[in-house]
C-alpha cells in the first residue's frame, strides 16, 4: 500500500477533513480558526501535521491568506465527499432511531420539477411522511459539482450530452417537448395562430446558452429566416422565468409539462405554435459507484414509476 493509501485509510481523522474544507472555503487561517472554534496557532499546527502525513504542500500561505495547491484542491474535494457521506449516514441513522425514514437530497432542473418530481415526492410522502426531501433547483453547471462531492443523492433533469462523463450514470425516463408561453393578458395570447415572425421582436426569458433547448430555439428562428430575439434574459430558474413572464410581459420558452402547470394555475397561456424540435430525454443522473441510502433508492423507484405512468397517459388517445 502506498503512503497516500495509508494516509487516506488510516491516519487521516475527521477533524483533519473539516480543517481542509474550512481552509478551502475561507482561504484564510484566521477565519478558518474562528469557524472551527480553534485558535490560529492550533489551525497552523494541524495543517502542518496534515501536510506531514501526506508529504505534500496542500496550501500556500501568504499575507493575503491561504491558497490550495493542485494537491490541496484534490484533497479538499475528497474531504468534502467524505464529510457529505458522513453527514448523510448520521442523518439516516438518526431518522431511523426517531421513527423516520431518512433524508434525500435531490438536484432538480426546471424541466422535471412541476410534473415528474412533484408527483413522485408526493407519492413518497404518502408512504413515508417523515422522510425529509431537500430539493435544490439549478442547472447542471451548478448541480453536478455538488453531486460529485456527495452533497446530492442524484439529479433529475434533461440529460444534456455535453455533460456526459465516465464518473456519471444516466438513465433516460421520457422525452419532453417545449412550448412557448406568455402571460394570460399578453397581446400574443389573443392571436389564433401566432407565427415565429410575431415572436422575433418580443422580449424573451430563455434557458441559458449551454442548454440544448436554447440552441434549438435559436435554430427555429433561423429556420424561418429570422434573427433570434435580441432582448433576452437568460435563466435556469423557474421563479425567475415566472417573474419575468408575469411582471415584465416576456415570452418564455419552457418544457411542455411546465407550460401545462402554468396554465393549470392560470399563470400563463400556451401559444398555439408548433415547436418541432428534438431534445435530449429527461432522466436521472447519478454518481457511478456513489453511496445511495434506502430512502434515495425509494424515491428513485417512485420517479421511475411516475415516468411510466406519464408515458402511458401521453400515449392514450384523446377523447
Amino acid at each position: 500500500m502506498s503512503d497516500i493509501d495509508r494516509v487516506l485509510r488510516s491516519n487521516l481523522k475527521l477533524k483533519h477533513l473539516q480543517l481542509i474544507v474550512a481552509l478551502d472555503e475561507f482561504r484564510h487561517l484566521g477565519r478558518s480558526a474562528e469557524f472551527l472554534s480553534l485558535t490560529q496557532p492550533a489551525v497552523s499546527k494541524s495543517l502542518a501535521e496534515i501536510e506531514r502525513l501526506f508529504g505534500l504542500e496542500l496550501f500556500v500561505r501568504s499575507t493575503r491568506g491561504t491558497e490550495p495547491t493542485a494537491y490541496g484542491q484534490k484533497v479538499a474535494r475528497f474531504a468534502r465527499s467524505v464529510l457529505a457521506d458522513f453527514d448523510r449516514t448520521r442523518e439516516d441513522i438518526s431518522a431511523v432511531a426517531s421513527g423516520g425514514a431518512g433524508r434525500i437530497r435531490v438536484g432538480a432542473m426546471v424541466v422535471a420539477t412541476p410534473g415528474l418530481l412533484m408527483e413522485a415526492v408526493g407519492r413518497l410522502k404518502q408512504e413515508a411522511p417523515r422522510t425529509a426531501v431537500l430539493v435544490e433547483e439549478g442547472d447542471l453547471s451548478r448541480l453536478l459539482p455538488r453531486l460529485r462531492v456527495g452533497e446530492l443523492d442524484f439529479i433529475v433533469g434533461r440529460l444534456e450530452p455535453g455533460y456526459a462523463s465516465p464518473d456519471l450514470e444516466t438513465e433516460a425516463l421520457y422525452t419532453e417537448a417545449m412550448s412557448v408561453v406568455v402571460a394570460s393578458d399578453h397581446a400574443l395570447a389573443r392571436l389564433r395562430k401566432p407565427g415565429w415572425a410575431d415572436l422575433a421582436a418580443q422580449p424573451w426569458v430563455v434557458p441559458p446558452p449551454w442548454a440544448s433547448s436554447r440552441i434549438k430555439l435559436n435554430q427555429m428562428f433561423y429556420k424561418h429566416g429570422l434573427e433570434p430575439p435580441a432582448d433576452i434574459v437568460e435563466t435556469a430558474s423557474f421563479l425567475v422565468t415566472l417573474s419575468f413572464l408575469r411582471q415584465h410581459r416576456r415570452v418564455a420558452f419552457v418544457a411542455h409539462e411546465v407550460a401545462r402547470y402554468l396554465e393549470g394555475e392560470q399563470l400563463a397561456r400556451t401559444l398555439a405554435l408548433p415547436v418541432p424540435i428534438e431534445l435530449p430525454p429527461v432522466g436521472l443522473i447519478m454518481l457511478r459507484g456513489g453511496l445511495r441510502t434506502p430512502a434515495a433508492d425509494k424515491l428513485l423507484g417512485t420517479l421511475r414509476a411516475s415516468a411510466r405512468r406519464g408515458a402511458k397517459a401521453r400515449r392514450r388517445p384523446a377523447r
Side-chain angles (χ1 to χ4, degrees), residues 58-94:
L58 302 182
F59 289 87
V60 177
R61 292 77 149 173
S62 73
T63 54
R64 296 188 301 274
T66 60
E67 285 292 326
T69 64
Y71 298 117
Q73 291 172 7
K74 296 293 185 184
V75 174
R77 178 174 169 177
F78 166 78
R80 279 191 166 88
S81 178
V82 172
L83 291 174
D85 281 348
F86 175 83
D87 286 342
R88 185 183 294 108
T89 303
R90 175 176 52 78
E91 289 167 356
D92 282 341
I93 292 172
S94 176

Side-chain angles (χ1 to χ4, degrees), residues 116-117 119-121 123 154 156 169-174 282-286 292 296-312 314:
L116 175 67
L117 185 61
E119 180 188 342
V121 170
R123 289 180 179 274
F154 57 87
V156 56
E169 289 183 56
T170 60
E171 180 182 336
L173 295 177
Y174 61 92
V282 175
L284 305 168
I285 304 174
M286 297 157 282
R292 281 205 298 274
D297 278 333
K298 189 169 185 61
L299 180 56
L300 284 169
T302 309
L303 283 162
R304 293 178 182 118
S306 294
R308 286 193 296 270
R309 279 190 295 271
K312 287 179 181 177
R314 283 189 286 271

Side-chain angles (χ1 to χ4, degrees), residues 37-313:
S37 299
L38 297 170
T39 64
Q40 187 165 326
V43 167
S44 296
K45 182 179 177 181
S46 293
L47 177 56
E49 177 186 343
I50 296 167
E51 291 182 324
R52 200 160 47 245
L53 288 173
F54 278 97
L56 299 167
E57 185 180 41
L58 302 182
F59 289 87
V60 177
R61 292 77 149 173
S62 73
T63 54
R64 296 188 301 274
T66 60
E67 285 292 326
T69 64
Y71 298 117
Q73 291 172 7
K74 296 293 185 184
V75 174
R77 178 174 169 177
F78 166 78
R80 279 191 166 88
S81 178
V82 172
L83 291 174
D85 281 348
F86 175 83
D87 286 342
R88 185 183 294 108
T89 303
R90 175 176 52 78
E91 289 167 356
D92 282 341
I93 292 172
S94 176
V96 170
S98 64
R103 183 181 181 85
I104 310 164
R105 299 178 178 93
V106 184
M109 294 171 68
V110 176
V111 63
T113 304
L116 175 67
L117 185 61
M118 291 304 100
E119 180 188 342
V121 170
R123 289 180 179 274
L124 175 73
K125 296 294 282 183
Q126 287 176 350
E127 298 175 18
R130 297 188 68 179
T131 298
V133 182
L134 184 152
V135 179
E136 181 134 354
E137 186 191 40
D139 57 30
L140 289 182
S141 65
R142 180 168 181 267
L143 297 175
L144 280 177
R146 302 202 60 193
L147 176 70
R148 285 186 163 112
V149 298
E151 293 176 354
L152 296 173
D153 291 295
F154 57 87
I155 298 169
V156 56
R158 203 177 289 282
L159 305 182
E160 298 285 354
Y163 285 83
S165 175
D167 66 331
L168 301 176
E169 289 183 56
T170 60
E171 180 182 336
L173 295 177
Y174 61 92
T175 56
E176 177 76 332
M178 298 293 289
S179 297
V180 179
V181 298
V182 295
S184 302
D185 57 352
H186 194 287
L188 288 174
R190 296 193 291 271
L191 297 182
R192 192 168 64 88
K193 287 188 176 181
W196 290 95
D198 299 312
L199 302 173
Q202 294 287 330
W204 282 67
V205 54
V206 295
W210 59 260
S212 54
S213 57
R214 171 68 178 286
I215 296 167
K216 296 287 186 176
L217 174 63
N218 288 350
Q219 289 174 350
M220 286 300 300
F221 281 103
Y222 292 136
K223 180 181 176 181
H224 290 84
L226 301 164
E227 286 293 319
D231 183 354
I232 58 172
V233 173
E234 301 169 322
T235 184
S237 165
F238 176 79
L239 181 58
V240 173
T241 299
L242 179 59
S243 298
F244 276 101
L245 173 79
R246 300 271 297 169
Q247 297 175 31
H248 297 275
R249 293 296 184 270
R250 287 183 175 267
V251 180
F253 193 54
V254 299
H256 180 66
E257 200 62 39
V258 176
R260 270 195 9 168
Y261 170 80
L262 293 173
E263 281 210 316
E265 297 295 319
Q266 299 184 337
L267 296 171
R269 179 79 58 84
T270 302
L271 298 184
L273 179 73
V275 187
I277 61 177
E278 292 185 9
L279 291 169
V282 175
L284 305 168
I285 304 174
M286 297 157 282
L287 193 63
R288 193 179 299 278
L291 175 68
R292 281 205 298 274
T293 64
D297 278 333
K298 189 169 185 61
L299 180 56
L300 284 169
T302 309
L303 283 162
R304 293 178 182 118
S306 294
R308 286 193 296 270
R309 279 190 295 271
K312 287 179 181 177

